[in-house]
Amino acid sequence: MSEKQVLDNTIAQNTSAGQIAPILINVEDYHQAAKAKLPKMVYDYYRAGADDELTLQDNVNAFRRIKLRPRVFVNVAHHDRDENSCSVTLLNGQTKCSFPLLFAPSAMHRMADNKGGERSTARAAVRANTVMILSTLSTTRIEDVADEHQKALKEYPQSTSQLWFQLYILKDREFTTRLVQRAEKAGFRALVVTVDASRFGNREADRRNSFRLPADMQLENLYDAGLKQADGKHDSALNDYIAKNLDATLTWKDIQWLRQISRLPIIVKGIMTAEDAQLAVQAGVDGIVVSNHGARQIDTTFSTIEVLPEIVSAVRRIETTKKVDIYLDGGVRRGTDILKAVALGADAVLIGRPILWGLAVGGCQGVVDVIDIFKREFKLAVMLCGCTSLPNGNNISSSPYSHLVAMPRSRL
Amino acid sequence: MSEKQVLDNMVAQNTSAGQTPPILINVEDYHQAAKAKLPKMAYDYYRAGADDELTLQENVNAFRRIKLRPRVFVDVAHHGVDENSCSVTLLNGQTKCSIPLLFAPTAMHRMADNKGGERSTARAAVRANTVMILSTLSTTRIEDVADEHQKALKEYPQSTSQLWFQLYILKDREFTTRLVQRAEKAGFRALVVTVDASRFGNREADRRNSFRLPADMQLENLYDAGLKQADGKHDSALNDYIAKNLDATLTWKDIQWLRQISRLPIIVKGIMTAEDAQLAVQAGVDGIVVSNHGARQIDTTFSTIEVLPEIVSAVRRIETKKKVDIYLDGGVRRGTDILKAVALGADAVLIGRPILWGLAVGGCQGVVDVIDIFKREFKLAVMLCGCTSLPNGNNISLSPYSHLVAMPKSRL
C-alpha cells in the first residue's frame, strides 16, 4: 500500500458512519445528528420557520455576509489562561455569564430528551455557567426545573448560572399572575416577555404534520394543554392553543401591569424596529431581545443581525437611569456570530435550536458539549481578531473595536 | 418499533401521495396539484411567461426581497373576530371587497374546469366576497357568466361581489361596442381595458406546443374564435387570432372613444411607468392596474412591485376630482405580498394564476379554498406586523404604516 493509501485508510476508519459514533465538532454536526435521531414531527417542529422560510435562511446568511477585520500582532495569550476573559455582567450587575451567550426560551424539551427534558437543560446551564430562560410552554413544571437547577448549583458551586422565566401573557390574567408569582418564588431572576406572538406564525411543516404533543407529555405549566388535536385538519394543535389562550390585545401599557405583580427585571423579546426599541426603553424595561422568534412568526422580515445596529443606536441615544441590556437571537451558529453581534452592540446572544440539537443527541451532556463548541469557537475568534478584551460595541464610535466588523457593501 | 419510527409512520401516512389527497395548505401546493392534473398544453398556457421568463421569476422574487418591519405590542385582537377588519372600498365607493384582492382577468377557464369554466369562477367570487374580472377571451358567454353570478348572489345575499369586464379593443369597433353594451346590460360594473397587448408576447411554451383550444370549446364572445390552428408551424393559435383582430393603433384618445359608448368606470391595465400613469390620470380613468401581463408580454421588464412606488407617487401627485384607484398584479402568492403591495400604495391586488390552479384542482370550491388561503395568510400578516387597520400606503409619508416595508438596499 502506498503512503497515501495508509493515511486515507486511517481517516476512513475514523469517519465511517455506522462503525463509530458520528464526529460532532460543530453546531451543524449536532443539527444533523439530531435530525437523524428525532421523530420527523418533533424535528420539523423545532426546525421550521414561517411560510417559505426565507427569513430562516436569512438569519444565518446575514451573519455570514458580515465581514470581520482582524487585527494582528496583538498580545492575546491571556484568553487561553483565563476562563473568564470574555465574561459578561448583565442586568445592571445582577447576572454573570462566562461568555456572552444565554439559552433562549424554547418549548417542549421533553420531545428532545424524554426523561430529562427541561431539567437536563437547567443542569447544563449550571455546568455551562450561563442563564437558562425557561419557556412558558415547558414540558416540565416550573418548580421541578428550579429544583434541578438548585441541585446542580450545589454540585457546581462555582457556577453563576441563573434561571429566567419567559412569559406569554394569557387572556386569563389571574392565571398569568400566578405563573409569574410561582416563577419568582421558585427563584427565577428575571421575566422575559414575548411581545411578537399575538398569534403563532404560519409554520407549514407543523400544519403538514398536524403537529401535536406525544402521548406522554403536556405543557405542565398551563391548563388543558395536552395539545393532542387541532380543530382543523392540517393545523398545529399548539397554534390552536395559542390562538385561544394568548392575549392579542397586549400593548406597552401591559408592562406597567407586569410591574404591579412582580419586582423582577423585565426583558421584552421580539423587537425588530428602532421605533419599538424606543418604546421599550420609554416603558422602563430592563432589557430587550432583538428577535424574529427564530423566523417562526412573520416571513420576509429582516434578519436580526441586520436590524441590530439601528436598535442599538435607538436605545443608546436615550438617557436612562439604568442601563438597558440588548440581546439578540436568531441564526447564531458560530463563534464568529457571537463576536459580530457583540461588536455591533449586543450585550449577549441567545441560542435556541442548537440547545435542542444538543438535548436530542445527548441530553444534558449534549447541551454542555454544544456550549463548549461555542465557547471554544468564540474565544478563538476573539484571539484571532486581536481583541484583548470582549469587543463590546456599546458605544460603537468610541469603542476600541469599531474597526472589527464591516457590513457588506452590497448584497442580493 | 422505536418511538421515532412510530411517530414517523403516523406522519408518513398523513402525507404519502396516492394514499390520501395531497395536502394543500398554500398557493404553491395548488400550483403543483394543478400541474399534475392539467394536460400539458393547458398547464403550459396558463403558466408561461415570455422569452426566458426572467420577469416571470422576478415578479415573485421582488416581493420576497422586500422586507417587513413588524411592530409589536399592538392590540390586534379584533382582526381575529371581525371578518371585515381589512375590507376595502374601491372605485369611489362603488365596490366593496372583504380583503384587498380581486380576480384578475384570465382567458379560457374551461380548459381548467371543463364543466363549469367561468361560471365556477363567478360563483367563487360571490362566495369569496370580491370582484371577478371576466376576460374578453372567455370560454363562456358574457350573459351566462352574469346569470351564474346573479344566481350565486341570491344564495349568498351578504356578498358584495361584482363582475367587471376586461376589454380588448378590436379593429372591428362596432363589434367592440356591442361587447361593451352587452357587458353593461348584463350588469358588469366596470371596464378593464388592456393597454399592453397590441400583440401577444413571445410565449415559447405555447409555440412549442402549437397551442390551440381543445375541440369542445371556443372563445364564446368573439367570432370565428375556435382557435384550432395557427398559420405557422410553431405558433399559438391564440397569438394568431390576436394579431389579426386586435387594434394595434390604440392611443390615449381611445379612452375618449370608450367614454362615448359606456358610462361604466374605466380602468386601464398594463401600466409600468410613471409617465403612462400620469397620462392615464390625465385621460380621466377611474383606475389603473400596474401590470406586466403576468410577465407574458415583454420579458426583462421590471417586476410590478418594483415599479409600484414610482407609479403611486406619480398618480398621487396629480390633483383630481375623484380618486384614481391603483391596483397591482403579478407574482402575488402569499399574504405578505398583499400586505407589501397595499403598504406601498396599491388599493388592491389582482391574482391570476392562483385562481386557475384552484379551478383545475377543484372547480368553484378549489377557487374558494385558494382565496381562503390568501385571506388567512393576509390577516395573520396584518396581525403579526402590528397593523390595527389595513396598512394603506396611499399617502406613504403620512401613513402610520410608512415604517412597514423596506426596499432592499441593493440587489444583483
Side-chain angles (χ1 to χ4, degrees):
Chain A
M1 264 202 299
S2 73
E3 185 183 334
K4 170 174 159 68
Q5 279 167 316
V6 170
L7 282 170
D8 282 353
N9 281 353
T10 319
I11 292 179
Q13 280 163 15
N14 245 5
T15 56
S16 60
Q19 284 200 13
I20 54 176
I23 296 178
L24 305 169
I25 62 169
N26 61 27
V27 169
E28 181 57 20
D29 286 347
Y30 273 85
H31 172 210
Q32 292 305 321
K35 179 179 182 179
K37 204 171 170 191
L38 289 169
K40 183 182 196 305
M41 188 167 68
V42 172
Y43 170 71
D44 279 353
Y45 170 80
Y46 289 146
R47 183 207 61 76
D51 288 0
D52 297 308
E53 300 183 336
L54 299 166
T55 301
L56 185 65
Q57 298 170 49
D58 214 39
N59 273 349
V60 169
N61 289 338
F63 267 115
R64 293 176 159 189
R65 284 193 299 267
I66 294 171
K67 301 291 193 274
L68 291 164
R69 301 178 74 250
R71 297 300 298 274
V72 297
F73 248 15
V74 176
N75 183 353
V76 292
H78 57 287
H79 284 302
D80 262 342
R81 296 188 300 267
D82 179 7
E83 255 271 313
N84 290 308
S85 66
C86 290
S87 64
V88 283
T89 308
L90 306 171
L91 291 181
N92 290 291
Q94 173 200 280
T95 306
K96 186 164 179 214
C97 302
S98 64
F99 73 121
L101 179 146
L102 288 62
F103 294 13
S106 50
M108 301 180 273
H109 289 191
R110 282 191 61 207
M111 291 202 304
D113 170 11
N114 195 318
K115 197 154 171 291
E118 285 83 359
R119 288 181 293 111
S120 300
T121 316
R123 171 170 285 271
V126 169
R127 292 178 57 191
N129 218 344
T130 187
V131 168
M132 170 188 181
I133 306 173
L134 177 71
S135 170
T136 289
L137 308 178
S138 162
T139 32
T140 311
R141 285 182 74 244
I142 289 171
E143 293 78 5
D144 294 340
V145 180
D147 279 349
E148 186 69 29
H149 193 254
Q150 282 302 317
K151 252 197 277 183
L153 280 174
K154 290 195 170 73
E155 293 169 44
Y156 299 89
Q158 304 301 324
S159 179
T160 56
S161 172
Q162 289 180 359
L163 289 174
W164 295 356
F165 185 64
Q166 175 275 326
L167 179 69
Y168 281 114
I169 298 177
L170 311 173
K171 289 177 187 166
D172 188 339
R173 294 302 184 101
E174 282 177 25
F175 189 91
T176 308
T177 302
R178 286 201 298 277
L179 266 183
V180 170
Q181 290 168 342
R182 284 171 59 195
E184 201 165 345
K185 184 163 175 222
F188 286 70
R189 301 296 307 277
L191 293 175
V192 180
V193 187
T194 298
V195 298
D196 62 2
S198 48
R199 287 275 191 283
F200 269 9
N202 183 39
R203 305 159 193 182
E204 295 193 335
D206 289 350
R207 295 183 61 200
R208 294 189 200 285
N209 296 334
S210 301
F211 174 78
R212 53 211 173 283
L213 264 181
D216 58 343
M217 60 187 82
Q218 56 180 359
L219 303 181
E220 289 287 345
N221 299 303
L222 301 174
Y223 49 87
D224 293 330
L227 305 189
K228 296 296 178 275
Q229 189 158 9
D231 288 343
K233 183 169 182 208
H234 294 300
D235 278 318
S236 154
L238 175 65
N239 282 39
D240 261 20
Y241 188 92
I242 293 290
K244 288 179 183 139
N245 290 287
L246 248 63
D247 192 338
T249 71
L250 300 178
T251 69
W252 290 103
K253 296 200 200 76
D254 288 286
I255 296 296
Q256 312 319 323
W257 171 78
L258 208 47
R259 289 267 182 235
Q260 285 163 21
I261 61 169
S262 172
R263 311 187 74 116
L264 291 177
I266 293 173
I267 297 158
V268 287
K269 173 169 163 293
I271 304 294
M272 286 295 290
T273 61
E275 298 95 302
D276 280 342
Q278 189 170 324
L279 291 174
V281 174
Q282 286 163 356
V285 303
D286 300 273
I288 71 176
V289 186
V290 178
S291 172
N292 49 39
H293 211 121
R296 293 157 79 80
Q297 289 298 98
I298 194 93
D299 196 27
T300 72
T301 183
F302 283 93
S303 63
T304 47
I305 192 64
E306 218 170 336
V307 299
L308 178 66
E310 87 178 55
I311 287 173
V312 169
S313 187
V315 171
R316 300 301 171 221
R317 195 182 306 141
I318 306 174
E319 290 263 342
T320 49
T321 40
K322 57 180 179 173
K323 178 182 177 220
V324 177
D325 281 359
I326 301 173
Y327 310 108
L328 173 142
D329 69 33
V332 177
R333 301 287 174 266
R334 285 286 188 188
T336 49
D337 298 335
I338 306 175
L339 184 57
K340 290 167 185 176
V342 167
L344 287 169
D347 292 287
V349 301
L350 316 187
I351 55 169
R353 291 175 180 91
I355 302 289
L356 297 164
W357 308 148
L359 257 187
V361 169
C364 172
Q365 187 59 48
V367 179
V368 169
D369 291 342
V370 165
I371 301 305
D372 279 346
I373 287 173
F374 272 112
K375 259 185 203 170
R376 174 184 167 139
E377 289 189 8
F378 177 62
K379 293 211 103 177
L380 181 61
V382 165
M383 291 177 76
L384 294 180
C385 282
C387 304
T388 53
S389 61
L390 189 67
N392 189 302
N394 250 322
N395 200 342
I396 194 77
S397 53
S398 54
S399 161
Y401 298 109
S402 55
H403 66 271
L404 184 57
V405 295
M407 301 308 273
R409 295 200 171 77
S410 70
R411 40 178 293 258
L412 237 188
Chain B
M1 269 203 295
S2 75
E3 183 185 339
K4 170 174 160 66
Q5 279 168 314
V6 170
L7 281 168
D8 281 353
N9 280 353
M10 272 165 54
V11 171
Q13 279 163 17
N14 246 3
T15 56
S16 62
Q19 282 198 17
T20 60
I23 295 177
L24 305 170
I25 63 168
N26 60 29
V27 169
E28 181 57 19
D29 286 348
Y30 274 85
H31 172 210
Q32 292 305 320
K35 178 177 181 179
K37 206 171 167 191
L38 288 167
K40 183 181 195 310
M41 191 164 67
Y43 170 70
D44 279 353
Y45 170 81
Y46 289 144
R47 184 207 61 77
D51 290 358
D52 298 310
E53 299 184 336
L54 299 166
T55 301
L56 185 65
Q57 297 171 51
E58 258 298 284
N59 274 348
V60 170
N61 289 340
F63 267 115
R64 292 177 157 192
R65 284 195 300 267
I66 295 172
K67 300 286 194 277
L68 291 166
R69 303 179 73 247
R71 298 297 297 271
V72 295
F73 247 11
V74 175
D75 183 352
V76 291
H78 55 286
H79 287 300
V81 277
D82 179 8
E83 256 271 312
N84 290 309
S85 66
C86 291
S87 64
V88 283
T89 308
L90 306 171
L91 292 181
N92 291 290
Q94 173 201 280
T95 306
K96 189 169 177 208
C97 303
S98 63
I99 62 168
L101 179 146
L102 289 62
F103 295 13
T106 49
M108 302 179 272
H109 290 192
R110 281 191 61 207
M111 288 201 304
D113 170 12
N114 195 317
K115 196 155 172 288
E118 285 84 358
R119 287 181 294 109
S120 301
T121 317
R123 172 169 285 270
V126 169
R127 292 178 57 194
N129 220 343
T130 187
V131 169
M132 171 188 180
I133 307 173
L134 177 70
S135 169
T136 289
L137 309 178
S138 162
T139 34
T140 312
R141 285 182 72 246
I142 289 171
E143 290 79 5
D144 294 339
V145 178
D147 279 350
E148 186 70 29
H149 192 254
Q150 281 302 315
K151 252 195 278 183
L153 280 174
K154 289 196 172 74
E155 292 168 48
Y156 300 90
Q158 304 300 325
S159 181
T160 55
S161 172
Q162 291 180 359
L163 289 174
W164 295 357
F165 186 64
Q166 176 274 324
L167 179 68
Y168 283 113
I169 298 177
L170 311 174
K171 290 175 186 168
D172 188 338
R173 294 302 182 101
E174 281 176 26
F175 190 91
T176 308
T177 304
R178 284 200 300 278
L179 265 182
V180 169
Q181 289 168 342
R182 284 171 59 195
E184 201 166 342
K185 186 163 172 220
F188 286 69
R189 300 296 306 277
L191 294 175
V192 179
V193 188
T194 299
V195 297
D196 62 2
S198 46
R199 284 277 192 286
F200 269 9
N202 181 38
R203 304 158 196 184
E204 296 192 336
D206 289 350
R207 295 183 60 199
R208 294 189 197 282
N209 295 334
S210 301
F211 174 78
R212 53 207 175 283
L213 265 181
D216 58 342
M217 59 187 82
Q218 57 181 357
L219 302 182
E220 290 287 344
N221 300 302
L222 301 174
Y223 49 86
D224 294 331
L227 305 188
K228 295 298 179 279
Q229 189 159 7
D231 288 345
K233 185 172 181 200
H234 293 299
D235 278 317
S236 155
L238 175 65
N239 283 37
D240 261 21
Y241 187 92
I242 293 291
K244 287 177 181 143
N245 291 287
L246 249 63
D247 191 339
T249 71
L250 300 178
T251 69
W252 291 103
K253 296 202 201 76
D254 289 285
I255 298 296
Q256 311 320 321
W257 171 77
L258 208 47
R259 288 267 182 235
Q260 284 162 20
I261 61 169
S262 172
R263 313 186 73 116
L264 290 176
I266 294 174
I267 297 158
V268 286
K269 174 168 163 292
I271 305 294
M272 286 294 289
T273 62
E275 299 94 299
D276 280 342
Q278 190 170 325
L279 290 173
V281 175
Q282 286 164 355
V285 303
D286 300 273
I288 71 177
V289 185
V290 177
S291 170
N292 49 38
H293 211 120
R296 293 157 78 79
Q297 289 299 96
I298 192 95
D299 196 26
T300 73
T301 182
F302 281 91
S303 64
T304 47
I305 192 64
E306 220 170 335
V307 299
L308 178 67
E310 90 179 52
I311 288 172
V312 169
S313 189
V315 170
R316 300 300 171 220
R317 194 182 307 141
I318 307 174
E319 291 261 344
T320 50
K321 282 186 256 150
K322 53 178 180 174
K323 177 181 176 219
V324 177
D325 281 359
I326 302 173
Y327 309 109
L328 173 141
D329 69 34
V332 178
R333 301 287 174 266
R334 286 284 186 188
T336 49
D337 298 336
I338 306 176
L339 184 58
K340 291 168 186 175
V342 167
L344 288 169
D347 291 288
V349 301
L350 316 187
I351 55 169
R353 290 175 181 92
I355 301 288
L356 297 164
W357 309 147
L359 257 187
V361 169
C364 172
Q365 186 60 47
V367 178
V368 170
D369 291 341
V370 165
I371 301 305
D372 277 346
I373 287 172
F374 272 112
K375 266 187 197 167
R376 176 182 168 142
E377 289 188 9
F378 177 60
K379 292 210 100 178
L380 182 63
V382 165
M383 288 179 80
L384 294 180
C385 282
C387 304
T388 51
S389 59
L390 189 68
N392 190 303
N394 249 324
N395 199 340
I396 194 78
S397 55
L398 298 179
S399 162
Y401 299 109
S402 56
H403 66 271
L404 184 57
V405 295
M407 301 309 270
K409 296 193 169 63
S410 70
R411 33 181 299 258
L412 237 190

